[in-house]
Amino acid sequence: MVNFIAIENASNGASVALLQDNSGVQTVRLQISTNEGKNAEQVLPLLDTLLADAKLTKTDIHGVAFSQGPGGFTGLRVACGLAQGLALGLQIPVVPVSSLEASAVLSQAYIDNGFIVVALDARMQEVYLAVYQVKNSELKSIPVLSPVLMQSQDVMAWVQEQLPRWCLVSGQSLSTAQYCIAGNALSAYPEDFVLPNTQWVVGETAWAHADTLVSIAYKKFQKEGGASLEALAPLYLRDKVAFTTIERESGLGGNPKIALPILNPLEVAQNTLATQLLERSLWIRPLRNSDLPAVIAIENVAHHTPWTEGMFFAALMHIHYHNWALVDEQDNILAYAVQLVEPDVVNLMTIAVAPSLQGQGLGELLLRWLELFIMGRSQGPYVQLLEVRVSNEKARSLYSKLGYEQIGVRKVYYETDGGREDALVLQKDVSLNKGA
């Protein structure tokens, strides 16, 4: 039997939970404080009651989770300190859980594929905000937008402005993705969270209790183990709670104005590309098995020595291959590309545009996306390598325009109608500091 506890103390009301795993059969017990505003005094009595009901003592605990935040300062410190104390005293692992992720988990059943925008009340007309992706009914734990602090009135407009980029980098279709807005800020500031269209739904608006936290934490523990001591600090998003006396006397009041999140160079480039695609009613998404007939039809015309259907199928099945399709509004394949990500370099294995559509800039759009994909990786490589026929002047011109440099020649590499011809080996460093 595994006994895992969680402490939620980031909201107005504290709660503790116990998850018991008996050979894969899990049960969860929950205790919630009814004494709002005195969370610090309530947590330990709640925990004692919870363990007593389960006929356990603290020495029976095998792991502890806590609400890392964002949330109330005092509550976060209490939860973090208590979790650290239990972990050190009992020599057990500890797992921090974001309050925003917990709220997203509460609403993940509302959509199958899309994004959950979580807005938690930070008081003074401000919200803690994060965005999570749901793919095939599974919530991705790494947020699309990491936690930020924002004015409540700015949230919906800013989110809609950023959705094209989030869809692009997540492989979602902007027109078919589902969008869910959730969190207790919707109840606090209802006038700021009006749904823009029918693609949006309202999720859960209650703050997640410890039973949600303990389920999240136990899954994380089973997959990743406990967190390092450096990761156990509370997550504070507000550096300045209010103006000073001098500032107030000069006419200022409330909390300082929170600026919109600043985009980094990669995000700016992604936004630019997403806008250019939308202006032409185009999109880029991962290639699918069902796309292969259309891909083969283009491949057989576009290349002298085309890939076979089996080669594309193998690439789709291989974890190190990344396969992309540029499509129109009807999801017709206009262009495609395959990248092989190796430890020190990314090889562009094949790229083609439907012959009837060549010369319209589609190849450049797709190639820029391939580069942004490489740049967006948390670790390298950040170099893309490719080969091009000496006689393919259009492709060579495009690669030159985008900054690819020749680093070698492969003699008689490609077949031609009359024999063979050389391949030029080109390379581009697409690190962020090099630009797209």
Side-chain angles (χ1 to χ4, degrees):
M1 177 79 76
V2 177
N3 301 309
F4 216 91
I5 65 166
I7 303 164
E8 204 301 305
N9 205 29
S11 63
N12 288 332
S15 62
V16 295
L18 167 68
L19 182 150
Q20 294 185 288
D21 185 348
N22 187 0
S23 300
V25 178
Q26 297 179 7
T27 57
V28 176
R29 300 169 183 258
L30 176 67
Q31 287 284 328
I32 301 176
S33 169
T34 57
N35 195 350
E36 253 186 50
K38 295 186 177 181
N39 295 8
E41 299 134 357
Q42 289 292 304
V43 174
L44 280 174
L46 286 173
L47 180 58
D48 290 338
T49 300
L50 186 72
L51 294 174
D53 289 346
K55 297 180 172 55
L56 300 174
T57 66
K58 290 186 178 69
T59 57
D60 296 314
I61 299 172
H62 299 110
V64 56
F66 71 97
S67 52
Q68 188 178 28
F73 289 173
T74 301
L76 293 181
R77 289 196 294 270
V78 168
C80 181
L82 183 55
Q84 287 178 324
L86 289 170
L88 292 172
L90 300 173
Q91 295 296 297
I92 57 176
V94 58
V95 179
V97 178
S98 162
S99 307
L100 290 156
E101 181 181 357
S103 291
V105 167
L106 284 181
S107 295
Q108 72 178 84
Y110 282 75
I111 59 175
D112 299 317
N113 290 282
F115 300 91
I116 298 178
V117 178
V118 180
L120 297 179
D121 183 14
R123 306 295 178 89
M124 296 179 285
Q125 293 292 318
E126 293 174 0
V127 301
Y128 304 120
L129 187 75
V131 179
Y132 294 85
Q133 182 187 12
V134 176
K135 191 169 185 179
N136 298 325
S137 301
E138 179 184 351
L139 183 81
K140 305 297 182 181
S141 61
I142 298 176
V144 175
L145 172 70
S146 297
V148 296
L149 183 65
M150 187 182 294
Q151 291 282 326
S152 62
Q153 64 187 18
D154 294 336
V155 171
M156 293 305 293
W158 189 82
V159 164
Q160 290 180 80
E161 183 181 285
Q162 299 305 313
L163 275 178
R165 176 172 62 85
W166 296 334
C167 285
L168 186 66
V169 299
S170 302
Q172 297 271 17
S173 168
L174 184 66
S175 60
T176 60
Q178 303 161 297
Y179 309 114
C180 175
I181 180 76
N184 70 337
L186 277 69
S187 300
Y189 314 111
E191 67 281 1
D192 293 332
F193 294 95
V194 177
L195 301 187
N197 54 54
T198 56
Q199 282 182 264
W200 286 82
V201 297
V202 174
E204 296 296 322
T205 59
W207 196 291
H209 289 309
D211 53 343
T212 302
L213 263 69
V214 77
S215 297
I216 297 171
Y218 189 58
K219 289 179 181 177
K220 289 180 182 288
F221 170 71
Q222 288 179 307
K223 184 177 181 180
E224 306 165 6
S228 63
L229 290 177
E230 294 79 10
L232 300 186
L235 174 60
Y236 298 130
L237 293 181
R238 178 180 283 134
D239 295 323
K240 187 172 184 179
V241 178
F243 285 110
T244 64
T245 301
I246 294 175
E247 288 171 329
R248 287 197 300 272
E249 289 175 350
S250 68
L252 299 175
N255 189 51
K257 174 70 176 178
I258 299 299
L260 294 176
I262 298 174
L263 301 182
N264 62 40
L266 173 60
E267 293 169 332
V268 171
Q270 291 168 340
N271 270 1
T272 299
L273 180 59
T275 299
Q276 291 172 342
L277 288 166
L278 289 173
E279 287 174 347
R280 299 181 59 175
S281 300
L282 304 173
W283 204 243
I284 295 171
R285 61 163 174 78
L287 204 63
R288 310 179 187 124
N289 287 343
S290 58
D291 297 325
L292 291 186
V295 167
I296 293 299
I298 296 173
E299 180 77 5
N300 287 337
V301 178
H303 291 301
H304 190 278
T305 309
W307 276 28
T308 65
E309 185 172 355
M311 293 168 69
F312 278 106
F313 184 77
L316 287 169
M317 296 297 104
H318 200 293
I319 189 173
H320 296 301
Y321 281 84
H322 295 268
N323 313 277
W324 306 103
L326 190 154
V327 300
D328 62 13
E329 286 183 295
Q330 288 74 44
D331 207 36
N332 297 312
I333 305 292
L334 310 182
Y336 56 85
V338 177
Q339 292 172 297
L340 171 59
V341 179
E342 296 184 301
D344 58 347
V345 69
V346 176
N347 285 280
L348 178 55
M349 304 300 292
T350 186
I351 183 170
V353 177
S356 62
L357 301 174
Q358 291 178 5
Q360 300 181 23
L362 301 184
E364 180 176 346
L365 289 171
L366 182 54
L367 190 55
R368 285 170 51 204
W369 165 243
L370 302 180
E371 295 172 2
L372 291 175
F373 167 71
I374 301 171
M375 293 167 66
R377 293 172 59 83
S378 58
Q379 297 179 340
Y382 302 110
V383 173
Q384 181 149 267
L385 192 73
L386 58 88
E387 293 95 18
V388 60
R389 291 176 181 267
V390 171
S391 62
N392 193 343
E393 294 181 0
K394 289 184 179 179
R396 289 176 59 184
S397 176
L398 172 60
Y399 297 140
S400 176
K401 175 183 177 182
L402 293 183
Y404 285 82
E405 299 177 346
Q406 182 179 336
I407 60 170
V409 177
R410 293 188 175 179
K411 295 294 186 180
V412 294
Y413 184 74
Y414 286 115
E415 290 184 4
T416 68
D417 291 331
R420 306 187 72 86
E421 69 173 311
D422 295 344
L424 302 182
V425 182
L426 307 182
Q427 178 178 289
K428 180 178 179 180
D429 183 344
V430 294
S431 305
L432 273 175
N433 61 350
K434 296 290 185 179

